[in-house]
Amino acid sequence: MADHPARLRRAAEQMSAHGVDALLLGPGADLRYLIGYDPPPLERLTLLVVRADATATLVLPALEEELARHAGLPEQVTVAAHGETDDAYALVHRALGDAQAGRLAVGDRLWTMFTLALQDQLPQARWALASTVTSRLRAIKEPAEIAALREAGAAIDRVHQRLPGLLAPGRTEAEVARDVAAAIVEEGHEQVSFVIVAAGPNAASPHHESGSRRLRDGDPVLVDIGGMRDGYGSDCTRNYVLGEPPADYAQAYARLREAQEAAVTAIAPGVTSGAVDAAARDRLAAAGLAEAFVHRTGHGIGLEEHEAPWIAPGGETLLEPGMVFSVEPGVYLPDRWGMRLEDIVVVTEQGAESLNRLPHDLVRV
Ligand code: ZN
Ligand code: ZN
Ligand code: ZN
């Protein structure tokens, strides 16, 4: 069980460091991180108001009060429930006190209907994004979070181990994807986040939607899959080949593998996120594949599948022990094929530990 009172105190420290007077969070990962409650994102206002003294008010619909109390809220949180005909924003006013004329950091993904209403009701406030306060907190994982991510990584590895048995000429991407989704749950995830099964030229689209294409002999198949296990994400890409791949594919794959491994080797505390990206990108550029690597090298992962830190060109985030992110360079040749090699890694005192343990070889089926 996470120490939510300590997280609220750390959030308050970040608020003062960034000149934020209150944090306003709707349902989602930030709120769940701070108080351990995962409210349904619906049209009635649910808003956590966190003040600079680390006390908080959870404004919620009266009919969800039981649900919230059942979640075991930290002691600093006061519940303020609104009935169907009450003014929910009056409760926000009261919770804010003096802070209503200050700088308010509002959840990055709070629905526009709530954000506009808040701006209308709090005309003196100045506005900022909650991520200015929360992303750094969430980026550095606690030991229990790393343990959860490690379990999620092991679970998705077990799914990849089942892939050779699911890939066969004549099957469609969508059929394989359905079986993979079932395997993601069977191997211990409570939820499937995404399943990308991209065969032949379809893999040249990095976020391809698995469809009606039938696998054929000679197809390279990119499989990028992830789910949520105990609230934490997995995300892993491996590349499979039915029979013999195109000659240039196997050569490029060797370069991709070097690029991915060079990026992981570059990881250490104090290194910038941009340097990790460059380690992969420079390798691919040296092989003449710079143009074919069309995305950043990685993204953080935790309560969300994509979160800070971002491992991108020019990134200035200094890596710290406990950060967890993907390292996933790719090579995409339109109308031909595509490939990506992805592991989740955790930054350690010495370097990086991969949470995905399967070999990086092309898997021949
Ligand atoms: Zn992606
Ligand atoms: Zn990823
Ligand atoms: Zn992925």
Side-chain angles (χ1 to χ4, degrees), residues 8-363:
L8 279 168
R9 287 193 294 274
R10 287 205 300 277
E13 284 164 23
Q14 288 294 316
M15 286 163 63
S16 22
H18 290 93
V20 168
D21 297 294
L23 206 51
L24 303 176
L25 301 174
D30 281 343
L31 190 152
R32 189 150 42 107
Y33 181 80
L34 288 179
I35 67 168
Y37 176 47
D38 192 16
L42 297 173
E43 73 289 353
R44 295 180 179 96
L45 182 70
T46 295
L47 196 73
L48 180 71
V49 180
V50 184
R51 285 171 300 260
D53 64 356
T55 63
T57 303
L58 180 60
V59 175
L60 48 55
L63 77 167
E64 288 169 14
E65 204 172 340
E66 262 317 295
L67 195 62
R69 293 198 191 279
H70 195 75
L73 299 173
E75 69 263 13
Q76 303 108 306
V77 177
T78 306
V79 171
H82 53 91
E84 295 286 20
T85 56
D86 295 341
D87 177 6
Y89 293 93
L91 299 178
V92 176
H93 259 270
R94 199 169 313 152
L96 280 169
D98 292 344
Q100 60 184 276
R103 186 153 176 263
L104 306 182
V106 60
D108 294 33
R109 298 185 193 173
L110 187 67
W111 289 0
T112 310
M113 61 184 279
F114 300 127
T115 307
L116 291 184
L118 286 167
Q119 292 190 324
D120 190 51
Q121 303 271 329
L122 300 162
Q124 292 173 280
R126 284 160 298 124
W127 301 92
L129 289 177
S131 56
T132 53
V133 171
T134 57
S135 73
R136 202 194 123 74
L137 291 179
R138 284 176 46 199
I140 308 207
K141 268 63 180 180
E142 298 158 7
E145 294 185 284
I146 294 170
L149 285 158
R150 188 178 281 117
E151 290 295 319
I156 210 70
D157 282 357
R158 293 194 296 274
V159 178
H160 268 297
Q161 282 175 311
R162 290 168 65 170
L163 254 298
L166 301 177
L167 297 170
R171 302 202 75 197
T172 68
E173 293 171 343
E175 284 166 358
V176 174
R178 259 197 306 279
D179 291 346
V180 170
I184 288 174
V185 173
E186 284 163 18
E187 295 297 350
H189 298 83
E190 60 263 7
Q191 189 188 308
V192 178
S193 301
F194 57 89
V195 176
I196 298 173
V197 176
N202 285 345
S205 166
H207 281 171
H208 173 67
E209 179 110 17
S210 313
S212 59
R213 188 182 191 284
R214 287 185 191 284
L215 275 49
R216 2 187 142 124
D217 200 47
D219 266 354
V221 186
L222 180 159
V223 178
D224 184 359
I225 52 181
M228 285 289 172
R229 187 183 187 287
D230 279 343
Y232 283 82
S234 64
D235 184 1
C236 183
T237 310
R238 286 293 183 271
N239 301 272
Y240 300 85
V241 187
L242 278 66
E244 274 309 306
D248 61 346
Y249 177 90
Q251 280 163 19
Y253 186 79
R255 303 288 87 76
L256 175 68
R257 178 179 180 163
E258 287 165 9
Q260 199 276 347
E261 292 170 1
V264 173
T265 304
I267 295 167
V271 169
T272 64
S273 52
V276 176
D277 182 272
R281 205 166 296 280
D282 292 351
R283 289 287 176 129
L284 290 173
L289 296 169
E291 307 276 285
F293 180 18
V294 297
H295 53 71
R296 65 185 174 217
T297 292
H299 56 83
I301 186 168
L303 291 172
E304 292 179 289
E305 287 286 350
H306 285 196
E307 59 183 45
W310 313 105
I311 310 301
E316 292 175 348
T317 304
L318 292 176
L319 300 185
E320 293 180 53
M323 285 182 171
V324 179
F325 51 84
S326 70
V327 177
E328 51 175 312
V331 176
Y332 309 94
L333 294 192
D335 303 322
R336 303 270 335 274
W337 42 255
M339 55 179 65
R340 178 163 64 251
L341 180 59
E342 174 179 29
D343 284 338
I344 301 300
V345 301
V346 52
V347 181
T348 64
E349 299 291 341
Q350 296 81 29
E353 174 200 341
S354 184
L355 301 184
N356 299 106
R357 300 298 180 88
L358 294 179
H360 286 170
D361 307 282
L362 266 181
V363 183

